[in-house]
Amino acid sequence: MTEDGVATEGELEWALAGDSAAPTELVEEVLTGLRTAGRTPEVDVEVLRAAAFRLVSEDRLDEVGRAWLELLDAVRAHPDARLADLPPARTD
């Protein structure tokens, strides 16, 4: 786990391996939803992956706290998510 206990090392690696090419306004919509309501809006799986990438690459996980888990669950539950899109399973 990271020092704040939100993300595992595997999740951080997964996020950094993602693509950041989604439209900025959609990524910001996801981040705003996570910060304010702890929920993700319905967006493409690529946007969710880009939001995870941005949070980790810019060291901003503290902005969303435990809502990070909601983001991971949204990727896992997305109907268009491929096996390669899925974050690692948690063992805790």
Side-chain angles (χ1 to χ4, degrees):
M1 293 275 191
T2 58
E3 58 191 53
D4 58 3
V6 174
T8 66
E9 289 300 318
E11 291 167 353
L12 297 176
E13 291 172 11
W14 166 82
L16 291 173
D19 191 359
S20 62
T24 302
E25 62 275 2
L26 292 176
V27 173
E28 283 301 321
E29 182 181 338
V30 170
L31 297 179
T32 299
L34 288 170
R35 280 191 300 266
T36 60
R39 309 291 293 159
T40 59
E42 290 187 29
V43 295
D44 290 338
V45 70
E46 293 82 14
V47 177
L48 297 172
R49 291 290 316 263
F53 176 85
R54 181 162 326 155
L55 284 171
V56 173
S57 67
E58 295 177 1
D59 195 25
R60 295 171 49 189
L61 270 177
D62 59 330
E63 289 180 16
V64 298
R66 302 295 295 174
W68 168 254
L69 301 177
E70 166 64 25
L71 177 58
L72 299 182
D73 287 343
V75 173
R76 288 184 186 105
H78 200 285
D80 296 329
R82 300 165 299 154
L83 188 57
D85 292 322
L86 301 179
R90 282 194 166 222
T91 59
D92 56 354

